[in-house]
């Protein structure tokens, strides 16, 4: 069973995703990381991708869907995948569901819940550590959070209606949140 992890920017999603992969053996598909690598590649495609990331907007559908499709088909059927950062809107959800169905992969979703004010504080702290430009500017952070609210929440709600979603409290320490997530994951299988 594959896993799609949702959570507002700053919810700890990326950190939790990496630990889940390390300890539970998932293959990590991190949409933002894949796109940042393309943005840094110095190609024309990279320039296009960068122009969206820099302003906190979603990269065009065709680009991200090709990247994720290639990653999915490259994995053997018995390798579980953890998706971090996709699907981000309803178009991506429809395309993602279709790819997963095509290749016969089942998935469940977890949303890490965190209060927005706390999330902003966590991101500003992270920007200082990692030097990410799109994390350092509060206007861009707010823009990414707006996108989450207007575009990604409807996706999460749709998965909830399909009975595919579990919610996990994202407050408290990282170990605590990890415990809650693994508890939920273990109940899937
Ligand atoms: P993240 O690291 O997940 O916060 O993503 C950083 C940036 O990468 C976002 O602000 C978008 O510009 C881009 N991005 C990440 N995931 C997606 C996606 N699924 N679709 C389009 N753009 C994305």
């Amino acid at each position: 069973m594959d896993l799609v992890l949702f959570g507002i920017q700053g919810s700890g999603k990326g950190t939790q995703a990496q630990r889940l992969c390390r300890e539970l053996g998932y293959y990590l598909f991190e949409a933002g990381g894949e796109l940042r690598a393309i943005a840094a590649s110095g190609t024309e495609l990279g320039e296009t991708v960068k122009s969206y990331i820099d302003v906190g907007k979603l990269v065009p559908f065709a680009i991200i869907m090709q990247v994720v499709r290639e990653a999915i088909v490259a994995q053997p059927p018995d390798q579980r995948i953890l998706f971090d950062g996709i699907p981000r809107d309803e178009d991506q959800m429809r395309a993602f569901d279709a790819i997963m169905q095509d290749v016969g992969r089942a998935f469940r979703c977890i949303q890490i819940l965190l209060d927005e004010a706390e999330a902003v504080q966590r991101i500003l702290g992270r920007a200082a550590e990692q030097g990410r430009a799109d994390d350092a500017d509060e206007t861009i952070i707010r823009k990414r959070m707006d996108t989450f609210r207007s575009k990604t929440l409807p996706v999460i709600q749709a998965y909830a209606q399909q009975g595919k979603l579990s919610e996990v409290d994202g407050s408290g320490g990282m170990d605590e949140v990890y415990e809650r997530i693994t508890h939920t994951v273990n109940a899937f299988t």
Side-chain angles (χ1 to χ4, degrees):
M1 179 80 77
D2 292 343
L3 177 62
V4 177
L5 207 52
F6 291 107
I8 197 162
Q9 287 74 16
S11 62
K13 174 171 59 70
T15 308
Q16 298 295 343
Q18 282 171 15
R19 183 163 172 197
L20 286 162
C21 290
R22 250 193 343 266
E23 296 186 14
L24 302 184
Y26 288 98
Y27 170 81
L28 177 62
F29 180 84
E30 189 205 350
E34 297 282 341
L35 292 170
R36 279 191 292 281
I38 295 170
S41 66
T43 60
E44 202 173 314
L45 176 66
E47 283 307 308
T48 304
V49 168
K50 186 172 183 306
S51 70
Y52 287 89
I53 293 178
D54 283 352
V55 293
K57 281 173 64 174
L58 292 183
V59 167
F61 173 88
I63 299 177
I64 181 63
M65 292 318 301
Q66 185 182 338
V67 175
V68 71
R69 173 185 282 279
E70 282 173 10
I72 293 170
V73 300
Q75 295 309 313
D78 61 349
Q79 171 61 60
R80 294 192 297 171
I81 307 177
L82 191 164
F83 297 92
D84 170 3
I86 191 161
R88 281 282 236 272
D89 65 16
E90 288 181 290
D91 284 347
Q92 290 185 14
M93 178 180 89
R94 279 187 284 273
F96 178 79
D97 288 356
I99 296 170
M100 295 296 273
Q101 199 167 10
D102 267 5
V103 297
R105 301 191 72 102
F107 63 94
R108 291 286 308 254
C109 311
I110 292 180
Q111 182 185 13
I112 304 176
L113 298 168
L114 191 73
D115 174 72
E116 196 168 314
E118 198 176 332
V120 173
Q121 287 316 308
R122 286 198 195 169
I123 298 185
L124 292 171
R126 169 173 89 185
E129 275 168 34
Q130 300 182 351
R132 260 182 69 176
D134 66 337
D135 272 356
D137 181 325
E138 197 166 332
T139 315
I140 299 174
I141 297 171
R142 295 277 179 201
K143 168 78 193 150
R144 285 159 59 211
M145 287 181 166
D146 286 349
T147 306
F148 176 83
R149 244 184 277 107
S150 61
K151 299 194 167 169
T152 311
L153 274 184
V155 172
I156 298 173
Q157 281 157 5
Y159 284 139
Q161 275 177 4
Q162 295 171 22
K164 285 190 176 144
L165 181 81
S166 304
E167 293 178 335
V168 165
D169 174 9
S171 65
M174 279 189 320
D175 290 346
E176 244 176 292
V177 178
Y178 185 75
E179 280 297 309
R180 294 180 197 130
I181 295 174
T182 50
H183 186 79
T184 306
V185 167
N186 288 334
F188 289 161
T189 43

